[in-house]
Amino acid sequence: SQKIEQNSEALNIQEGKTATLTCNYTNYSPAYLQWYRQDPGRGPVFLLLIRENEKEKRKERLKVTFDTTLKQSLFHITASQPADSATYLCALGNYGQNFVFGPGTRLSVLP
Amino acid sequence: DAGITQSPRHKVTETGTPVTLRCHQTENHRYMYWYRQDPGHGLRLIHYSYGVKDTDKGEVSDGYSVSRSKTEDFLLTLESATSSQTSVYFCAISDRRRMNTGELFFGEGSRLTVL
């Protein structure tokens, strides 16, 4: 069955550094990959979508890459700030199918 | 913010009792979803709807039923709650015609505790 892993449960980095979160998957060939942010006690909020034919997508301080050969997506937050502290979820989808979510990585940006 | 309201936001109930969670949207989106979120598992799809009276099962549908009699309302029912159904439940909506992003809009969640 398909499996989605996100590097670690928690990641701590220093303010101003680049945070890199990983989403790996097996037994799946997604056409789309999304990233969401979730704050404690809140619902997830959509950040970015990248398609299988796109290698990289940027939005302000966010950058997402999608490597279908490695079956991996990397999510980067540059010049990280304490306000970026949250749980980040990746979700994989295919044409006509529902998205499947990874377990999430809790990012803490330390001042 | 997308107009999604979940009720109740918190509920404590006893094993064996029926529970209904309600999701109400004001966006007129066609697709509605119920997820549960548990530590270590992420979001798992319970049921979804692709139109009024059109529903289908998700990954973890056992013990749950849904109904959608109006575009704006999607109900999740636990006929006889069990402790394993203690979780945070999220409703989400999407308009798949917006395939430029395919994004899901989530409600604030309903925390259910089954004693």
Side-chain angles (χ1 to χ4, degrees):
Chain A
S1 62
Q2 61 200 34
K3 187 175 181 181
I4 305 171
E5 293 179 326
Q6 294 192 238
N7 44 335
S8 57
E9 280 193 27
L11 179 67
N12 297 327
I13 65 164
Q14 210 65 38
E15 182 177 6
K17 302 292 186 183
T18 296
T20 298
L21 284 64
T22 304
C23 177
N24 295 298
Y25 57 92
T26 55
N27 298 324
Y28 198 42
S29 296
Y32 309 96
L33 194 146
Q34 299 177 329
W35 283 89
Y36 288 80
R37 169 184 173 139
Q38 186 174 23
D39 291 294
R42 308 294 299 275
V45 175
F46 173 83
L47 296 174
L48 283 167
L49 174 139
I50 187 166
R51 294 179 173 80
E52 62 179 337
N53 61 348
E54 298 175 319
K55 297 299 182 186
E56 181 179 300
K57 185 74 72 76
R58 292 176 185 260
K59 179 181 178 182
E60 297 173 351
R61 294 185 295 112
L62 308 179
K63 185 179 84 171
V64 173
T65 63
F66 191 8
D67 189 324
T68 56
T69 301
L70 291 178
K71 293 185 180 295
Q72 180 182 81
S73 174
L74 299 179
F75 177 80
H76 305 275
I77 306 175
T78 58
S80 60
Q81 305 164 1
D84 295 324
S85 298
T87 296
Y88 291 87
L89 310 170
C90 67
L92 279 60
N94 222 325
Y95 302 101
Q97 297 179 8
N98 297 310
F99 280 86
V100 180
F101 284 81
T105 295
R106 187 172 67 251
L107 174 67
S108 296
V109 180
L110 308 173
Chain B
D1 291 343
I4 309 171
T5 305
Q6 292 186 228
S7 60
R9 294 291 314 281
H10 301 272
K11 186 172 182 64
V12 179
T13 191
E14 293 187 350
T15 298
T17 60
V19 175
T20 295
L21 305 180
R22 179 181 183 239
C23 178
H24 178 80
Q25 64 147 327
T26 58
E27 305 296 321
N28 200 34
H29 281 0
R30 179 182 175 189
Y31 288 83
M32 298 186 75
Y33 309 81
W34 276 109
Y35 289 88
R36 62 176 290 175
Q37 187 173 40
D38 305 286
H41 288 280
L43 287 159
R44 291 182 291 175
L45 183 63
I46 305 171
H47 281 281
Y48 67 100
S49 169
Y50 45 95
V52 174
K53 293 186 172 27
D54 292 323
T55 65
D56 207 346
K57 295 179 180 180
E59 177 187 357
V60 290
S61 59
D62 286 349
Y64 302 94
S65 62
V66 291
S67 66
R68 191 172 180 195
S69 58
K70 297 184 289 185
T71 298
E72 56 267 35
D73 289 326
F74 193 32
L75 303 180
L76 177 70
T77 298
L78 291 66
E79 300 290 347
S80 178
T82 67
S83 58
S84 64
Q85 293 176 312
T86 292
S87 186
V88 180
Y89 292 85
F90 286 97
C91 174
I93 64 175
S94 73
D95 183 352
R96 288 191 183 178
R97 289 169 297 178
R98 293 181 55 190
M99 286 310 292
N100 57 328
T101 65
E103 67 182 286
L104 294 169
F105 298 94
F106 284 86
E108 293 298 293
S110 294
R111 182 175 294 275
L112 175 67
T113 301
V114 183
L115 301 176

